[in-house]
Amino acid sequence: MNIKEALRIYFIMGSNNCGSHEPLDVLQQAIDGGITMFQFREKGDDALTGEAKKQFARDCFRLCKQANVPFIVNDDVDLAIEIGADGVHVGQDDLDAGVVRQKLGSDKIIGVSSHTLQESKAAIEAGADYIGMGPIYATTTKLDTNPVAGTKAIQETRQHFAQFPIVAIGGLQADNFAPAIEAGADGISIISAIASAPNPKEATEKLASTMKEVINDA
Ligand code: 3NM
């Protein structure tokens, strides 16, 4: 798998990100619209736990598998191992990427959230396959984010690591993500611009077609 290509339109979702929409329907629409990777992120208020979380993860994984969309689990390494997910994404307050690598083995994908060049270096040394950098813009989806970072940290990381896969996150939409790609990101991570869209499939198609234009121009 080419990680940079998988990061292009990286959809992240949990059951509490979908408003009145049925979460599995939102995911299927996102897949049909052209997402290139999916992160299962069951966190925050009213998140599912225990068996319900596990079942929901398996259902999401099934939809992704049918479409060959890589399936990444946020934070929960044990769940990822149990269901055979393609990888794990960890934040700065979660398990260290090196520990996750030991648990998962060499053939799985590990992503790490980073906010500074320093954190990027540490994640890369610890064996991450990609880093997620943000928040580019303000977001109301995650309440405990770092301060809005803009694109500077991406630019700095890109200058030091010319080829390392980077995905941007935070407040990204079809009409505002271009600066993140121009700064050096390979793709965009999106929650609300897909999960809260009136029509998630059309919203994804718009992100994917805009991405093609932005990458050609970059
Ligand atoms: N992590 P939306 S921002 C999960 O900055 C997450 O590390 C962030 O949601 C970070 O696309 C964020 O709706 C939420 O803004 C992204």
Side-chain angles (χ1 to χ4, degrees):
M1 181 199 316
N2 179 324
I3 299 260
K4 283 170 175 272
E5 280 173 21
L7 293 176
R8 293 279 194 256
I9 310 286
Y10 185 6
F11 181 41
I12 304 176
M13 190 198 84
S15 60
N16 57 5
N17 298 130
C18 301
S20 58
H21 290 283
E22 212 283 303
L24 289 175
D25 181 48
V26 171
L27 176 54
Q28 186 60 58
Q29 286 199 48
I31 290 170
D32 293 343
I35 60 167
T36 50
M37 187 143 88
F38 175 67
Q39 184 185 127
F40 178 81
R41 184 174 180 277
E42 195 58 28
K43 271 198 168 161
D45 288 347
D46 303 324
L48 300 172
T49 57
E51 268 312 308
K53 176 182 176 185
K54 214 177 280 183
Q55 188 54 50
F56 180 47
R58 285 188 200 281
D59 290 341
C60 290
F61 192 15
R62 179 172 37 83
L63 298 186
C64 288
K65 251 190 199 157
Q66 280 165 3
N68 266 325
V69 170
F71 178 90
I72 308 296
V73 172
N74 183 289
D75 191 12
D76 193 338
V77 182
D78 293 338
L79 174 66
I81 291 171
E82 185 174 340
I83 68 176
D86 297 303
V88 168
H89 184 97
V90 284
Q92 289 294 320
D93 298 331
D94 302 330
L95 271 185
D96 182 77
V99 177
V100 179
R101 176 62 72 204
Q102 277 176 355
K103 285 174 169 252
L104 284 184
S106 59
D107 61 334
K108 300 290 185 185
I109 301 167
I110 297 178
V112 177
S113 301
S114 160
H115 310 94
T116 62
L117 174 60
Q118 200 86 346
E119 288 178 358
S120 299
K121 279 182 180 165
I124 292 166
E125 277 164 21
D129 294 297
Y130 73 87
I131 46 176
M133 302 200 70
I136 308 300
Y137 302 112
T139 177
T140 52
T141 308
K142 184 174 191 269
L143 299 177
D144 61 343
T145 59
N146 279 42
V148 170
T151 57
K152 192 160 170 276
I154 291 181
Q155 221 164 4
E156 285 172 358
T157 297
R158 178 54 75 222
Q159 274 165 7
H160 278 75
F161 301 98
Q163 291 304 324
F164 196 78
I166 302 173
V167 67
I169 189 163
L172 298 173
Q173 317 228 8
D175 62 2
N176 73 5
F177 75 72
I181 302 298
E182 285 152 11
D186 298 294
I188 51 174
S189 300
I190 300 278
I191 299 182
S192 57
I194 295 176
S196 301
N199 185 324
K201 178 166 181 271
E202 279 177 14
T204 309
E205 285 168 346
K206 176 74 184 155
L207 288 162
S209 62
T210 308
M211 181 60 82
K212 279 202 183 117
E213 290 167 19
V214 170
I215 283 183
N216 282 337
D217 290 347

